[in-house]
Amino acid sequence: MAGGRRAGHRESTSQLQRARRETVDLLATVERLRRERDALRGAGRATDEEGLTLATRSALRLSEARYRSLVDATASVVWSADRAGSYLSGNQSWQDYTGQPWPAQQGWGWLDMLHPADRPHVAALWQPGSSGAETRELPVRLWHAASGTYRHAVLRAVPIADALGLVQEWVGTYTDVHDAQRADDAMRLLAEAGAALSASLDLDETLRRVARLALPSLADWCQIDLAVDDAEGPEGVGYRTVASAHADPERERMQRALRAAYPPDPRNVYGIWHVLRTGESVLVRGAQEMGEIQAREARDVAHLHTLRQVGTCALMRVPLPGRDRPLGVLSFGLTRAYGVLDEVDLALAQELAARAAAALENARLYGAAREAIRARDEFLTVAAHELKTPITSMRGYAQLLQRILARGDTPDPSHVQGALDVFVGQSRKLALLVEQLLDVSRLEAGRLQLALERVDVVPLVRGAALGLVAGAVAGDERRLTVEAPDSLVWNVDPIRLEQVVTNLVANALRYTPPGSPIEVEVGASHDADGERLRVTVRDHGPGVSEAEREGIFQRFHRAHDDASSGGMGLGLFISRQIVELHGGTLTVEAPPRGGARFVLTLPAS
């Protein structure tokens, strides 16, 4: 792309240089013809007295015709003015370009065709003592009737002096360089934006810099909004403004007040929500079109009055392209008089948006990578602790038996049995931890397959729950109840469903204080999609905050990160993945009397 930008810059620069060379050649030819005409006129006056008039007058008419034909044939605007800068004549191109007939512009009326900001600089060129008899050149903006706006041009004036070197007249041109100027501005904007976007991974600050770069070459104000999930927004999508820049601070204040008083309408086809929903750009070219839209969209007279005070007369909105949906919207507006936007501006805005979207994706990927590294390091710490605990216990009992045997003593059978119980229990825990890690690997590789069959899920759920409680809390005062029909046959993978129920009940046991009940319910329900299996596990522990209800189903997440909670944070992640492979859902709720209720639903087939 850098080579393409340099090539584009060279091309636009060469266009300017070529235009200037052509202008110089044209002015030299015009000046030569004018001198020839003046010489012929002088000769005509001198020879009139001698009666040699016919040939001289014929040559004079030919020179005049040649001069006028050349001036009118050129595409550039050619003009002449007296020594003070008062225009005398101009060619047809002036009328074609400005839409104004030349007689109306004689004298100083031609200044009206220049941009108001350029008029004082141009008028100053002819002030007494401003300069001597040298060629003058100045960049200006000249009114272009066909486009209804001002276009960039180069004003060039060449003096015509008499025999004593005194300036008698000026002859000059206006050369349109608008397209080349726009190309240069576009290349410069994209280059500066690329540098800004690659300089930092602090996305919000980067986007604020990009918004400022768009002023004033592309727009008078720029706003960047990023899409966010919002349950109250249309189709669950909202947005937040991350960057805003305005050439006029007072108008920016008015814009903020306008948004506060009249929140954006999601149905507005020129608004941000429309671009987020459709992924299509919006272009409002100029003041007339904008005025019609404002009159139609204003909610009341005060709203219309404020819109006109803000003064946006042209508007573009382009999406930040994402994989599945727009990541956000770039908005550009003009408030300057006679400001217009066209398809060339829209293409530039879309290119800028594409680069900003790429930077946004890179920043998000960088953030996700950092979060993954953090989660990995945290997991390795937890996993090392979880794996070390049973190994330490098993090693301790093994070393105790080694010492007894080394002394030649006969081990007490009760001690041997206790050691074996520890070995069995801890090896079972190790096997569970390893199996969870393998399940995560299978899920991420897409290799975890279900073996579905018709199963009575009531004894399956009851056995998994009661067996876990009996083995884990013997003598505890916790009370587990299972409420279920006598039988309920469903199409499931029995081993995987048992794994899910075991994870949910183990989770409830971990966080339920002694003496508090754990309630398991099994049943069938009906909704718009048909009959569904429903299994719930309710505990009376600390519960799960609304902010954490999705997070607890992520890998390596532990709802209450303390030493007593145990586990590697994989149980709920694996459980949800298994349920979703069945085509079901696994969610968590906050019951009225505290605690947490996990709800598992599976479709009939």
Side-chain angles (χ1 to χ4, degrees), residues 414-428:
S414 62
H415 291 168
V416 174
Q417 184 62 49
L420 292 175
D421 290 343
V422 170
F423 281 130
V424 171
Q426 297 304 319
S427 63
R428 182 183 296 116

Side-chain angles (χ1 to χ4, degrees), residues 11 122 186 277 301 374 415 486 516 542 552 575 591:
E11 181 181 350
V122 175
R277 185 168 56 250
V301 174
R374 185 202 63 78
H415 291 168
D486 294 335
S516 298
I552 62 172
S575 296

Side-chain angles (χ1 to χ4, degrees), residues 450-520:
L450 300 180
L452 300 176
E453 56 183 284
R454 301 289 290 176
V455 175
D456 188 347
V457 298
V458 172
L460 185 151
V461 173
R462 191 187 301 276
L466 294 176
L468 186 64
V469 172
V473 292
D476 201 340
E477 295 181 356
R478 290 191 182 96
R479 293 180 294 110
L480 182 138
T481 61
V482 179
E483 183 177 336
D486 294 335
S487 177
L488 187 57
V489 177
W490 218 263
N491 198 41
V492 298
D493 181 328
I495 295 177
R496 292 301 181 181
L497 181 59
E498 182 178 3
Q499 180 180 353
V500 173
V501 174
T502 299
N503 281 336
L504 296 180
V505 174
N507 192 69
L509 287 170
R510 185 176 295 121
Y511 296 113
T512 298
S516 298
I518 297 173
E519 303 153 6
V520 178

Side-chain angles (χ1 to χ4, degrees), residues 436-451:
Q436 285 185 335
L437 292 175
L438 290 174
D439 279 346
V440 171
S441 178
R442 294 186 192 109
L443 285 166
E444 294 203 338
R447 294 197 304 266
L448 195 150
Q449 303 295 324
L450 300 180

Side-chain angles (χ1 to χ4, degrees), residues 84-325:
S86 178
Y87 272 26
L88 300 174
S89 65
N91 65 344
Q92 180 63 32
S93 293
W94 171 272
Q95 181 170 335
D96 295 341
Y97 196 94
T98 65
Q100 297 294 318
W102 181 257
Q105 308 304 319
Q106 287 183 320
W108 285 90
W110 57 274
L111 279 177
D112 293 340
M113 293 295 99
L114 297 177
H115 191 282
D118 295 337
R119 294 169 192 170
H121 307 294
V122 175
L125 291 177
W126 280 274
Q127 295 298 320
S130 62
S131 63
E134 72 273 358
T135 298
R136 303 173 183 182
E137 188 173 292
L138 190 68
V140 296
R141 285 160 289 181
L142 184 63
W143 178 254
H144 187 243
S147 63
T149 187
Y150 293 99
R151 287 176 63 88
H152 292 281
V154 174
L155 166 62
R156 185 174 175 84
V158 176
I160 298 176
D162 59 17
L164 298 176
L166 299 177
V167 176
Q168 299 300 313
E169 291 186 17
W170 296 86
V171 62
T173 61
Y174 287 104
T175 302
D176 188 304
V177 295
H178 191 77
D179 294 335
Q181 183 71 49
R182 289 179 77 181
D184 276 349
D185 291 343
M187 291 300 103
R188 183 170 57 253
L189 173 60
L190 292 177
E192 292 175 351
L197 290 168
S198 61
S200 172
L201 288 169
D202 181 350
L203 189 65
D204 286 4
E205 175 56 29
T206 299
L207 292 178
R208 283 192 287 271
R209 292 177 64 186
V210 170
R212 291 192 293 270
L213 285 174
L215 279 55
S217 61
L218 183 57
D220 295 326
W221 60 262
C222 176
Q223 181 174 307
I224 305 178
D225 301 275
L226 297 184
V228 296
D229 294 328
D230 183 0
E232 297 182 0
E235 301 180 13
V237 177
Y239 62 87
R240 67 182 180 94
T241 301
V242 296
S244 177
H246 205 300
D248 185 342
E250 178 60 22
R251 289 182 188 267
E252 184 176 22
R253 184 194 64 76
M254 294 169 62
Q255 270 189 333
R256 289 198 298 268
L258 177 66
R259 288 195 297 268
Y262 298 92
D265 184 354
R267 298 167 298 178
N268 187 345
V269 296
Y270 301 96
I272 295 172
W273 262 303
H274 175 79
V275 179
L276 287 175
R277 185 168 56 250
T278 65
E280 298 175 353
S281 300
V282 169
L283 174 62
V284 180
R285 289 174 172 79
Q288 181 177 350
E289 185 179 354
M290 179 62 74
E292 294 171 356
I293 292 170
Q294 290 176 345
R296 187 169 60 249
E297 301 292 337
R299 300 173 198 175
D300 51 42
V301 174
H303 187 199
L304 180 59
H305 176 70
T306 307
L307 286 171
R308 289 174 175 169
Q309 277 189 316
V310 170
T312 298
C313 60
L315 175 70
M316 291 187 299
R317 297 195 197 276
V318 297
L320 290 165
R323 292 185 186 136
D324 302 320
R325 67 179 188 183

